[in-house]
Amino acid sequence: MGSKGSDPLIGLTSYLEPAKFLVWETEAALLHRVYVDGIVAAGGIPVLLPPVSDAHDRLVSAVDGLVLVGGADVDPARYGQEQHAATYIRPNRDAFEFGLLRSALDSRKPVLGVCRGLQMLSVALGGTLAQHLPDTLDSADHQPAPATFGATTVTLAEGSRAASILGTETKVPCYHHQAIDRLGDGLVPVGWAADGTIEAAELPGDDFVLGVQWHPEQNPDDIRLFEALVEAAKEHA
């Protein structure tokens, strides 16, 4: 890890949700601590970005890299579908994060998409989603029960950025009921579960733009994706 002056600032999107803590029950801007711990362990400085602003360019210019974190489903209206009964949305997050992502791509800032973040990346580039995997796979393995992570073995394509970080096979924690249907323009699928679900996709080229369908923050013993993002942010800065 470098000196604090050279540690890159990593922006992490965050939730705006009702929350209860101490004596308070209120609306809160929040994020699971494991995300920020992962960034710190990887040598970055985490900066939370709550979905309350439209100053996307200024926010992205203030950080060296961006993590699009997990959370609610992307509004299917953004990819031309009706909302499934099992789909729950946060339109304010969608608007905020699509703006951040557009600015990050325009300025070639490193981007890591986590779960919803992969789906955001794909939809922003014209892709569509399968709104409820149990309907198409007849299985709930990717989201076994509320607040219960599954375990998925992902095969990664040789020569991909993802494989250069993680190898050609990795076992990961997952929690999602939606997945990529049609991948967004320019994205290349580079990771798959055994059932064929796309688990990772990236933009080819020198820029670090990678989305994974799983939750790397849930495994504090494997911070390789966060380390790769932080290293890319250092190089970009």
Side-chain angles (χ1 to χ4, degrees):
M1 186 184 302
S3 67
K4 294 298 181 184
S6 62
D7 293 347
L9 295 173
I10 304 298
L12 300 106
T13 57
S14 57
Y15 296 62
L16 203 61
E17 297 286 344
K20 187 174 183 179
F21 50 96
L22 300 176
V23 299
W24 309 109
E25 189 166 353
T26 184
E27 189 95 347
L30 49 83
L31 180 63
H32 306 275
R33 178 174 171 171
V34 284
Y35 282 102
V36 296
D37 286 346
I39 293 299
V40 170
I45 300 172
V47 178
L48 298 194
L49 305 175
V52 294
S53 171
D54 60 3
H56 309 121
D57 291 345
R58 285 191 64 192
L59 290 171
V60 168
S61 70
V63 299
D64 303 305
L66 178 66
V67 181
L68 299 172
V69 307
D73 302 320
V74 179
D75 188 345
R78 288 187 174 268
Y79 50 93
Q81 292 184 13
E82 296 293 323
Q83 186 173 341
H84 188 284
T87 296
Y88 68 105
I89 62 175
R90 296 291 186 269
N92 62 319
R93 271 197 71 180
D94 290 351
F96 178 67
E97 292 179 12
F98 274 105
L100 286 183
L101 177 59
R102 181 173 58 252
S103 181
L105 294 176
D106 287 347
S107 58
R108 304 182 69 179
K109 292 285 177 77
V111 176
L112 175 64
V114 172
C115 197
R116 163 189 163 90
L118 167 63
Q119 297 169 9
M120 285 282 305
L121 177 61
S122 185
V123 171
L125 295 174
T128 62
L129 303 177
Q131 287 193 54
H132 196 53
L133 287 177
D135 291 348
T136 55
L137 296 178
D138 195 28
S139 166
D141 289 348
H142 292 276
Q143 191 183 65
T148 301
F149 285 85
T152 299
T153 298
V154 177
T155 301
L156 296 167
E158 290 188 16
S160 66
R161 181 183 296 277
S164 73
I165 299 167
L166 300 170
T168 56
E169 185 175 284
T170 185
K171 189 171 183 179
V172 297
C174 64
Y175 188 80
H176 62 102
H177 78 109
Q178 298 195 342
I180 299 297
D181 181 16
R182 186 183 73 246
L183 202 55
D185 296 340
L187 285 169
V188 176
V190 296
W192 302 265
D195 60 18
T197 299
I198 293 176
E199 292 285 338
E202 59 192 47
L203 286 178
D206 294 334
D207 295 342
F208 187 108
V209 181
L210 170 63
V212 298
Q213 189 59 79
W214 66 87
H215 281 272
E217 80 285 355
Q218 294 298 321
N219 184 0
D221 295 325
D222 186 355
I223 59 170
R224 289 176 292 173
L225 283 171
F226 293 136
E227 287 176 329
L229 175 71
V230 167
E231 186 59 34
K234 287 179 180 178
E235 292 174 2
H236 185 275

